[in-house]
């Protein structure tokens, strides 16, 4: 039920209220193995965090793992999040994985990586 609560939190954020307390829940959802939870986690990550947030350091390893995932949709979520909220340090840490996605045989991943 955590992903439902984060979805409600995103609605509260859209209404203009402070929702910084939900950032760690987004990180927990991204670390999940279930796709619906990852999807809501990455959505919350892109909406509630920016490149200046300290929580991004915790997310870098999860994004790296998801970019190497066999499921193209999970890798696409990670690539989209990287494009939206990446800091220069995160880009340096994940450059090799992004290049691997650019040279992938899967057209979906190449499109997301470009």
């Amino acid at each position: 039920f955590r992903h439902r609560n984060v979805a409600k939190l995103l609605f509260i954020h859209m209404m203009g209220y402070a929702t910084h307390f939900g950032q760690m829940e987004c990180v927990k959802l991204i670390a999940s193995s279930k796709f619906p939870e990852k999807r809501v986690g990455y959505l919350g990550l892109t909406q509630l965090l920016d490149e200046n947030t300290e929580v991004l350091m915790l997310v870098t390893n999860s994004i790296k793992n998801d970019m190497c995932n066999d499921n193209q949709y999970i890798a696409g979520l990670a690539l989209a999040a990287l494009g939206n909220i990446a800091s220069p340090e995160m880009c340096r840490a994940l450059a090799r994985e992004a290049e691997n996605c650019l040279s992938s045989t899967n057209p979906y991943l190449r499109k997301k990586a470009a």
Side-chain angles (χ1 to χ4, degrees), residues 1-59:
F1 296 106
R2 181 177 284 150
H3 65 284
R4 289 183 186 170
N5 292 336
V6 171
K8 292 174 186 176
L9 185 69
L10 288 171
F11 178 74
I12 293 169
H13 176 73
M14 289 187 332
M15 299 299 288
Y17 295 101
T19 55
H20 62 279
F21 57 88
Q23 294 174 349
M24 287 307 294
E25 292 302 317
C26 294
V27 173
K28 290 177 187 175
L29 285 176
I30 290 170
S32 173
S33 61
K34 298 176 184 174
F35 179 74
E37 292 181 359
K38 277 189 183 290
R39 184 178 61 187
V40 173
Y42 276 116
L43 179 64
L45 179 78
T46 58
Q47 297 301 312
L48 300 178
L49 280 73
D50 60 2
E51 61 270 0
N52 299 325
T53 310
E54 296 87 18
V55 178
L56 284 180
M57 296 296 188
L58 303 172
V59 176

Side-chain angles (χ1 to χ4, degrees), residues 55-106:
V55 178
L56 284 180
M57 296 296 188
L58 303 172
V59 176
T60 305
N61 194 37
S62 294
I63 291 177
K64 182 177 183 178
N65 292 338
D66 286 345
M67 286 172 70
C68 300
N69 198 310
D70 292 335
N71 186 338
Q72 67 179 358
Y73 300 112
I74 291 176
L77 284 173
L79 287 167
L82 180 65
N84 284 328
I85 55 129
S87 64
E89 295 85 19
M90 184 184 284
C91 289
R92 279 191 288 275
L94 299 175
R96 177 159 295 168
E97 285 77 15
E99 289 175 4
N100 290 342
C101 290
L102 275 172
S103 62
S104 173
T105 58
N106 188 336

